[in-house]
Amino acid sequence: GGCANLDRHNANAVSQTDDDAYCLANGGPQGAPAYVACRKDRDVAASHSDRMEKTHRDLAERMLNGQ
């Protein structure tokens, strides 16, 4: 039989670095209105992604437990 691996690497630190680099390139220097808006948009997108991943993990756990 197989074994499901539900663990995910913590991409949060990498994501923060990527977001900073992306927003510096596309929004200007830190503190600029476009930079701040860029970071906010990316934070919102990340929180939606985190919730979807948690929902998926919960579903997989229930399936593994036969519920």
Side-chain angles (χ1 to χ4, degrees):
C3 181
N5 181 0
L6 299 179
D7 291 333
R8 299 277 193 267
H9 70 283
N10 183 359
N12 210 16
V14 172
S15 174
Q16 291 293 328
T17 303
D18 289 347
D19 287 347
D20 188 51
Y22 177 85
C23 291
L24 282 171
N26 294 288
Q30 289 182 353
Y35 174 87
V36 173
C38 176
R39 287 304 300 256
K40 182 178 178 187
D41 290 347
R42 291 179 70 90
D43 286 346
V44 169
S47 72
H48 288 303
S49 176
D50 290 346
R51 267 184 289 178
M52 287 301 294
E53 186 170 326
K54 180 184 183 323
T55 300
H56 184 256
R57 278 195 318 267
D58 291 347
L59 175 62
E61 187 70 26
R62 286 195 308 274
M63 289 171 66
L64 287 171
N65 290 330
Q67 297 176 352

